[in-house]
């Protein structure tokens, strides 16, 4: 196939491009910056004329382009909605006109909000947002929304109801809805990949949008201990960017019309504190510090089951946490 990769010059997009090329696909990159050595069109996904040029002769689209980060300040909402949702709408409209019927969309775990919890009395529950007074008092675990008792974190599946809790999360869910509408209207195949905590080579550093692994690595390189928010017990699923790239490759094997969402995760939960310790050890740096600081909009636990992606498309993460972190500490 000839595949257009939007955002193909970025962190995840560049790895997706490499993976697709290695698998024998022809790739065209569409990004706001130029890319050497590949077929490329420079432009913004909100520019309908540029998108139309990029789609000429294309069989499928891998849509990675997005404004990332939490989007905690509502003043940023127009930028997030413009880049992520308007850009996706422009792309999908152009695909419909050009007769391009296959889409792989970079979505995110943030569409779920707080992860699944299990209450001893009420079974599986979805905790609500944590009140500020609890966070201020250092009570970080979200309670059962029914009885207020502490819950045991679980792994969330794709059937869970979405619960976006910040601007960025809302735009990622809107992208999925737009892709679903496009698929129903055109008979196209849309696959939404809900990335969990992606890390690895080329991860952006020292920006407001850098992931926590990149922020900790930057601290270690400066000779400083990683500063871990809350008590470090936040559970996440850290998945290597190379595994994310192979998930994109696998997604192009889908042929059934309509939208289907998949978690892209290892299925093995780790805490943010564990990740900080692993990076510090690999870097031979100072011991991480837990600060009890918090950010409104952050969720406590969000880990996933990747069973659907393995069962339906034969994908599973290959890079072990310890190996990936050891590599990441030195790239």
């Amino acid at each position: 196939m000839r595949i257009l990769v939007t955002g193909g010059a970025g962190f995840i997009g560049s790895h997706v491009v490499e993976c697709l090329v290695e698998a024998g696909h022809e790739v065209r990159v569409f990004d706001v910056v130029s890319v050497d050595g590949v077929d490329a069109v420079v432009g913004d996904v909100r520019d309908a004329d540029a998108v139309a040029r990029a789609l000429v002769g294309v069989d499928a689209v891998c849509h990675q382009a997005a404004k990332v980060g939490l989007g905690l300040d509502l003043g940023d909402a127009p930028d997030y909605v413009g880049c992520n949702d308007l850009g996706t709408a422009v792309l999908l409209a152009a695909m419909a006109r050009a007769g391009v019927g296959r889409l792989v969309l970079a979505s995110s775990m943030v569409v779920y909000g707080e992860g699944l919890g299990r209450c001893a009395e009420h079974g599986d529950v979805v905790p609500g947002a944590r009140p500020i007074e609890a966070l201020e008092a250092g009570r970080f675990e979200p309670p059962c929304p029914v009885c207020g008792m502490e819950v045991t974190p679980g792994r969330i599946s794709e059937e869970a109801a979405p619960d976006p809790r910040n601007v960025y999360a809302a735009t990622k869910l809107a992208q999925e809805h737009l892709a679903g509408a496009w698929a129903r209207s055109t008979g196209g195949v849309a696959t939404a990949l809900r990335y969990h905590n992606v890390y690895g080579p080329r991860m952006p550093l020292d920006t407001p949008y850098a992931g926590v692994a990149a922020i900790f690595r930057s601290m270690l390189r400066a000779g400083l201990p990683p500063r871990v928010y809350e008590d470090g017990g936040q559970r996440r699923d850290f998945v290597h960017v190379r595994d994310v790239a192979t998930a994109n490759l696998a997604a192009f094997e889908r042929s059934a019309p309509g939208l289907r969402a998949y978690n892209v995760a290892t299925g093995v939960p780790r805490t943010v504190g564990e990740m900080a310790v692993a990076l510090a050890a690999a870097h031979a740096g100072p011991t991480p510090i837990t600060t009890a600081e918090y950010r409104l909009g952050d969720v406590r636990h969000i880990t996933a089951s990747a069973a659907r992606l393995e069962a339906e498309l034969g994908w599973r993460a290959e890079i072990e946490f310890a190996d990936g972190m050891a590599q990441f500490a030195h790239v």
Side-chain angles (χ1 to χ4, degrees):
M1 281 190 288
R2 176 173 289 175
I3 300 171
L4 177 69
V5 180
T6 71
F11 165 44
I12 296 174
S14 63
H15 287 275
V16 172
V17 168
E18 289 178 356
C19 187
L20 293 173
V21 170
E22 289 168 7
H25 295 291
E26 295 181 53
V27 174
R28 176 179 296 153
V29 170
F30 183 74
D31 209 309
V32 293
V33 297
S34 60
V35 180
D36 295 330
V38 296
D39 180 12
V41 174
V42 176
D44 189 299
V45 287
R46 292 165 290 188
D47 182 339
D49 291 336
V51 171
R53 291 196 304 273
L55 286 170
V56 173
V58 162
D59 304 304
V61 173
C62 187
H63 186 30
Q64 305 291 323
K67 182 178 177 68
V68 299
L70 287 178
L72 297 178
D73 184 345
L74 282 176
D76 293 335
D79 283 341
Y80 277 90
V81 173
C83 291
N84 297 350
D85 298 337
L86 175 59
T88 298
V90 170
L91 173 66
L92 293 172
M95 288 174 64
R97 289 191 295 270
V100 179
R102 189 179 295 269
L103 172 73
V104 173
L105 171 69
S107 187
S108 172
M109 67 176 187
V110 296
V111 302
Y112 295 121
E114 188 70 53
L116 183 71
R118 185 161 189 83
C119 174
E121 183 174 347
H122 297 101
D124 289 342
V125 295
V126 178
R130 298 176 293 171
I132 294 177
E133 56 269 22
L135 296 170
E136 287 285 352
R139 300 194 304 272
F140 300 120
E141 292 295 336
C144 171
V146 181
C147 66
M149 298 297 289
E150 190 169 309
V151 299
T152 302
R155 289 183 290 178
I156 205 160
S157 70
E158 293 85 354
E159 287 82 8
D163 184 18
R165 297 190 180 182
N166 55 59
V167 170
Y168 172 64
T171 66
K172 297 310 286 185
L173 183 59
Q175 283 185 306
E176 290 193 17
H177 289 320
L178 288 166
W182 166 82
R184 286 189 294 274
S185 175
T186 65
V189 180
T191 306
L193 299 180
R194 293 173 177 169
Y195 301 158
H196 284 250
N197 284 74
V198 186
Y199 72 97
R202 302 176 212 146
M203 193 173 191
L205 304 177
D206 302 320
T207 76
Y209 314 118
V212 64
I215 293 170
F216 289 169
R217 187 179 67 170
S218 293
M219 291 177 178
L220 288 163
R221 287 185 172 177
L224 302 172
R227 294 178 57 83
V228 182
Y229 280 9
E230 302 185 14
D231 60 1
Q234 309 94 303
R235 289 159 59 102
R236 298 291 188 268
D237 193 311
F238 296 98
V239 58
H240 195 276
V241 67
R242 180 65 184 182
D243 283 329
V244 172
T246 62
N248 278 268
L249 175 63
F252 283 107
E253 297 301 316
R254 275 197 72 234
S255 58
L259 175 69
R260 186 73 163 162
Y262 296 90
N263 289 326
V264 180
T266 68
V268 181
R270 305 282 181 175
T271 68
V272 174
E274 283 181 289
M275 186 269 289
V277 168
L279 269 182
H283 205 277
T287 302
I289 298 170
T290 54
T291 68
E293 296 173 282
Y294 63 88
R295 296 189 303 180
L296 290 176
D298 276 357
V299 296
R300 177 65 174 177
H301 305 298
I302 177 66
T303 59
S305 166
R308 176 186 286 185
L309 189 50
E310 181 174 3
E312 296 185 8
L313 298 179
W315 177 91
R316 65 186 305 172
E318 298 292 340
I319 298 175
E320 297 289 341
F321 175 78
D323 295 336
M325 286 295 165
Q327 177 207 57
F328 182 60
H330 300 288
V331 295

